[in-house]
Amino acid sequence: MASDSLSFETTQLGCEFDVPASVAEFGFPDVYVGMEAGLLAPGDGIVTDRHHASADRYEADDPQNQIAGQISPFTLSGWLRHGCERVVQGLGGSACHPGEANADFMLEDVYERDLNSGYHEKGACVDAGDDDCGCVVYDLFGGFGDRAGRVIRRPIRFSPIRRQVDVVKGEAEAHYRQLSTQVRSRNEEDEGQPLRQADRDVVGNLVGTWRLTLRELKPEYVGLLVEAMDYLDSHSADYEMQLGGARNFGAGIVDAEVVNPLYTEDELRRVYNRAQAATNAMDEKDELWREECCEEFVGALESRVAATEEVMGDD
């Protein structure tokens, strides 16, 4: 979808939306999240490419292994959704609960507890026959009937070889390893007795981008992604806000932010080129985004959340 064929959709907003730049000057519908992490251990969320090494020559912890792979979009999507929910709740709104009220896995009173802490029943924000009036979390993540989420969440492809990484495609430089540790008893009388050995696929020293694509260009979507990444970045050390991870590995602490949407593809690549500094044009775009554009997108989000809560309150 070419940016020159896009326009901002503002029909659901209760406020004026005016940015001092045309849609064509932004990189939409793509939104890039810049990510840095010392270590990620997302469980089953890593798929690797080992076709170059036969089974008898492959040593998982050998630093010379040049293994590429992908980080699952399922792991990434859950992390992003947590951030989006917290932002909406912080604005006085409620978010669609991700699970059904009658789910077989539901523990007693858990669903009711969630509804009392910033969620509404899954799909309760949608009027019958009109699936375009739900809350902004419903919009972005979908999961209701045959309606897809309005944001496409791709996997992050990673490689330890810098020249094979293209951040415009949502790729990152990172190094795959397999870690093995002894899980020991924490009971004082056991004196640290080993209980079992745990093997874990991990990705270390990750630097790159996660490419998101909006199916519809609504300002509140951009505002929510920006605010969610700010929230996740400022709460990155909180266990519940980590990207996958496990306590024993200290994994999942991620520095993240939405890369300036005004950057061209060449400027985006320049951000991650250690041999190049930012240009004067990039500095000017940073100021324009920070001082005049960003607050407009966030304002659109605030207006959308307020409008949704008003409608739900009338029901």
Side-chain angles (χ1 to χ4, degrees), residues 12-30:
Q12 290 181 286
L13 298 181
C15 67
E16 295 294 326
F17 176 76
D18 182 26
V19 289
S22 68
V23 176
E25 294 179 71
F26 292 94
F28 302 136
D30 291 329

Side-chain angles (χ1 to χ4, degrees), residues 35-58:
M35 301 176 64
E36 295 187 21
L39 186 68
L40 294 181
D44 297 329
I46 300 176
V47 178
T48 60
D49 176 8
R50 304 179 186 172
H51 69 274
H52 63 284
S54 61
D56 59 342
R57 291 191 296 110
Y58 172 72

Side-chain angles (χ1 to χ4, degrees), residues 3-21:
S3 60
D4 55 5
S5 65
L6 292 173
S7 61
F8 292 115
E9 298 180 32
T10 61
T11 55
Q12 290 181 286
L13 298 181
C15 67
E16 295 294 326
F17 176 76
D18 182 26
V19 289

Side-chain angles (χ1 to χ4, degrees), residues 33 99 112 237 260 293 301:
V33 176
E112 288 74 15
N260 190 336
C293 295
L301 169 65

Side-chain angles (χ1 to χ4, degrees), residues 63 82 121 132 207 281:
H82 288 157
E121 289 189 14
D132 289 326
V207 178

Side-chain angles (χ1 to χ4, degrees), residues 21-313:
S22 68
V23 176
E25 294 179 71
F26 292 94
F28 302 136
D30 291 329
V31 177
Y32 291 92
V33 176
M35 301 176 64
E36 295 187 21
L39 186 68
L40 294 181
D44 297 329
I46 300 176
V47 178
T48 60
D49 176 8
R50 304 179 186 172
H51 69 274
H52 63 284
S54 61
D56 59 342
R57 291 191 296 110
Y58 172 72
E59 297 179 12
D61 57 355
D62 184 349
Q64 297 303 312
N65 288 329
Q66 301 295 294
I67 300 173
Q70 293 184 346
I71 301 173
S72 167
F74 297 103
T75 297
L76 297 163
S77 183
W79 173 68
L80 174 61
R81 180 171 180 134
H82 288 157
C84 290
E85 291 171 351
R86 293 297 179 89
V87 168
V88 170
Q89 292 160 354
L91 292 174
S94 62
C96 262
H97 196 286
E100 300 288 351
N102 61 349
D104 292 337
F105 59 81
M106 184 185 68
L107 298 176
E108 184 178 1
D109 298 330
V110 168
Y111 198 83
E112 288 74 15
R113 181 196 65 193
D114 290 345
L115 297 183
N116 292 328
S117 60
Y119 292 89
H120 52 260
E121 289 189 14
K122 183 177 181 179
C125 54
V126 182
D127 287 339
D130 182 4
D131 61 1
D132 289 326
C133 65
C135 71
V136 68
V137 173
Y138 162 87
D139 274 4
L140 279 186
F141 292 91
F144 306 89
D146 59 355
R147 179 181 171 87
R150 299 297 91 185
V151 60
I152 300 172
R153 290 92 70 190
R154 295 178 174 83
I156 296 177
R157 180 188 175 276
F158 65 85
S159 172
I161 304 172
R162 192 174 304 165
R163 66 178 180 275
Q164 294 183 4
V165 173
D166 187 354
V167 292
V168 173
K169 296 179 180 179
E171 299 178 354
E173 179 184 352
H175 303 268
Y176 169 78
R177 295 289 181 270
Q178 284 184 326
L179 299 184
S180 180
T181 187
Q182 291 285 345
V183 178
R184 298 179 179 274
S185 173
R186 296 182 180 181
N187 295 326
E188 185 176 349
E189 59 271 21
D190 291 338
E191 298 181 348
Q193 176 183 349
L195 301 177
R196 59 184 173 86
Q197 178 174 316
D199 296 321
R200 189 89 169 180
D201 288 352
V202 303
V203 174
N205 303 322
L206 180 142
V207 178
T209 63
W210 182 24
R211 181 186 175 197
L212 304 172
T213 301
L214 297 172
R215 299 179 193 271
E216 299 172 1
L217 186 53
K218 296 185 177 182
E220 62 266 35
Y221 295 169
V222 178
L224 182 55
L225 293 176
V226 169
E227 290 291 276
M229 283 304 146
D230 284 349
Y231 183 92
L232 289 168
D233 184 72
S234 61
H235 294 80
S236 61
D238 297 350
Y239 179 63
E240 65 272 20
M241 290 294 113
Q242 292 185 18
L243 174 51
R247 291 180 188 270
N248 287 345
F249 290 100
I253 298 177
V254 180
D255 295 331
E257 66 174 348
V258 169
V259 180
N260 190 336
L262 290 166
Y263 284 169
T264 66
E265 291 187 357
D266 287 341
E267 289 170 338
L268 177 61
R269 291 190 176 99
R270 193 180 186 95
V271 172
Y272 294 91
N273 188 332
R274 295 174 176 86
Q276 295 179 310
T279 63
N280 290 335
M282 293 171 67
D283 290 339
E284 292 173 359
K285 289 181 179 181
D286 286 343
E287 182 176 359
L288 178 61
W289 169 253
R290 182 175 59 251
E291 301 296 334
E292 300 186 53
C293 295
C294 186
E295 63 181 13
E296 285 290 321
F297 289 103
V298 175
L301 169 65
E302 294 171 348
S303 175
R304 171 69 185 276
V305 171
T308 301
E309 290 305 305
E310 183 178 353
V311 170
M312 293 185 64

